[in-house]
Amino acid sequence: MNKNDRKIAVAALCVATLSLVLLYLFDGHTTTPIPKDDSMPRYAKRHKEARRTAYYGSYPKEQRKETFPFDPNTADSTQLLRLGLQPWQVRNIYKYRAAGGIYRTKEDFARLYGLTVKDYRRLEPYIRISSDYLPAATLVGDRGYGANRANGANGTNGANGGEPYPRKIDSTQHVVLNMADTTELRKVPGIGAYYARQIVRYGQRLGGYVSVDQLDEIEGFPQEAKKYFVVQGAHPQLLNVNQLNLQQLRRHPYINYYQAKAIMDYRRLHGNLNSLQDLRLSKDFPPEVIERLTPYVTF
């Protein structure tokens, strides 16, 4: 090696030696690779999971829903949660009971905020209201107290001999669908306050029932109750499809936005309709829709 090459080699050797010294002084420990989960000690796994939960948060597993007899007036939080109720619903039940609220009937429990029809129908057969929470007037039975019994005093229904709720009709009796109010509707077996209100409200939206089968259009309607209803002399309110605007047409349960728009487009292009059959070429008016809507329109 010539003189210049020797200088370069000596300089490189010095730099390498200095680097090794600095590395030893400032990083004197050896990095140990983190073992895999299968070789990690148990305490280390728990520590790793705890750190992961603290960083990402934990996600509760889906709660398994159980069914068993319960009294909403006395059931504790553990039982209510096992039934599939949400924690905030359990808190609402506790607040309601703390304020003096009492569940006297199964229908009272249906008013729980956030309770769906599906959940209520699942829980309804298991609701057991203790007789201790029924109105004291039920102890009277058929024993009247003069004018108080006749007038339905003490929160009872005088027309029903002192009973707090309407007496159910038997299989030989029927209720005229378009003439009954909620009190009359609650006399039908299987119909409580909730479905009585739904029947009245849907009838008002329709403009009157023309068939008992229209009750099937109410979500969750109990099929066994249909046999107690009849429709007599149906005279539904009629919609003049040649005069109403789009928003007014849409208010009827049997007319959606696209159907209302199809009616408006036909009137704009061809003039007044003479029959719903004028719309038979529209994809929004198949034969079954025309048949269902016919009793409710006029021209």
Side-chain angles (χ1 to χ4, degrees):
M1 297 176 64
N2 57 35
K3 186 176 181 180
N4 290 333
D5 292 339
R6 287 197 299 271
K7 289 181 178 181
I8 293 173
V10 171
L13 182 61
C14 292
V15 171
T17 303
L18 181 61
S19 299
L20 291 175
V21 172
L22 292 175
L23 181 63
Y24 177 79
L25 292 177
F26 295 100
D27 193 15
H29 64 277
T30 302
T31 303
T32 303
I34 299 176
K36 295 182 179 179
D37 287 345
D38 54 355
S39 60
M40 187 181 297
R42 184 174 301 175
Y43 71 88
K45 288 184 179 180
R46 290 198 299 267
H47 181 64
K48 182 179 179 181
E49 291 296 330
R51 285 188 301 167
R52 182 181 301 173
T53 300
Y55 186 79
Y56 294 103
S58 60
Y59 298 89
K61 297 182 179 179
E62 184 177 357
Q63 183 179 358
R64 181 180 178 182
K65 299 179 181 180
E66 303 179 30
T67 50
F68 50 85
F70 72 100
D71 187 339
N73 292 302
T74 57
D76 58 24
S77 59
T78 302
Q79 293 174 316
L80 295 172
L81 290 172
R82 286 172 54 200
L83 291 167
L85 298 180
Q86 298 298 323
W88 54 270
Q89 290 178 311
V90 175
R91 289 195 295 270
N92 287 341
I93 292 175
Y94 270 67
K95 291 179 181 178
Y96 177 73
R97 297 192 318 206
I102 296 176
Y103 297 97
R104 301 185 185 276
T105 65
K106 295 181 179 181
E107 288 80 7
D108 290 342
F109 186 73
R111 297 189 180 94
L112 177 64
Y113 181 76
L115 187 68
T116 64
V117 173
K118 179 180 179 182
D119 286 337
Y120 175 72
R121 295 181 66 183
R122 177 176 63 86
L123 297 175
E124 189 269 340
Y126 299 94
I127 299 176
R128 305 287 188 268
I129 306 295
S130 173
S131 58
D132 294 338
Y133 295 96
L134 296 177
T138 58
L139 298 175
V140 177
D142 294 331
R143 294 172 295 172
Y145 290 95
N148 285 342
R149 178 173 182 246
N151 295 328
N154 298 326
T156 62
N157 189 338
N160 291 322
E163 292 182 358
Y165 306 106
R167 180 175 297 172
K168 300 296 185 179
I169 62 177
D170 57 39
S171 58
T172 62
Q173 298 175 297
H174 297 85
V175 172
V176 180
L177 195 53
N178 288 319
M179 300 178 61
D181 57 14
T182 55
T183 302
E184 190 72 17
L185 292 170
R186 290 182 63 187
K187 295 179 182 180
V188 176
I191 301 299
Y194 171 78
Y195 282 117
R197 292 193 299 268
Q198 293 301 312
I199 292 171
V200 172
R201 289 173 184 172
Y202 193 61
Q204 292 172 347
R205 291 183 60 202
L206 286 171
Y209 292 96
V210 297
S211 171
V212 174
D213 291 333
Q214 290 177 292
L215 294 174
D216 295 334
E217 298 165 14
I218 300 175
E219 183 180 2
F221 188 83
Q223 294 296 308
E224 62 275 8
K226 285 176 56 179
K227 63 183 180 181
Y228 295 96
F229 293 101
V230 294
V231 174
Q232 296 178 351
H235 297 287
Q237 297 178 5
L238 301 180
L239 305 173
N240 193 320
V241 295
N242 289 322
Q243 295 181 1
L244 299 179
N245 59 33
L246 187 143
Q247 295 300 328
Q248 291 171 328
L249 290 170
R250 287 185 59 192
R251 292 174 185 170
H252 197 276
Y254 291 170
I255 301 178
N256 58 34
Y257 170 80
Y258 299 102
Q259 292 167 339
K261 189 174 184 302
I263 293 174
M264 300 298 295
D265 291 343
Y266 184 94
R267 285 162 47 184
R268 178 173 53 84
L269 297 174
H270 305 287
N272 289 343
L273 286 84
N274 298 313
S275 169
L276 288 180
Q277 293 298 326
D278 296 340
L279 301 169
R280 66 185 182 279
L281 298 180
S282 172
K283 64 177 181 175
D284 296 307
F285 283 91
E288 60 273 15
V289 171
I290 293 177
E291 180 181 1
R292 183 173 65 166
L293 188 58
T294 296
Y296 295 98
V297 297
T298 185
F299 307 94

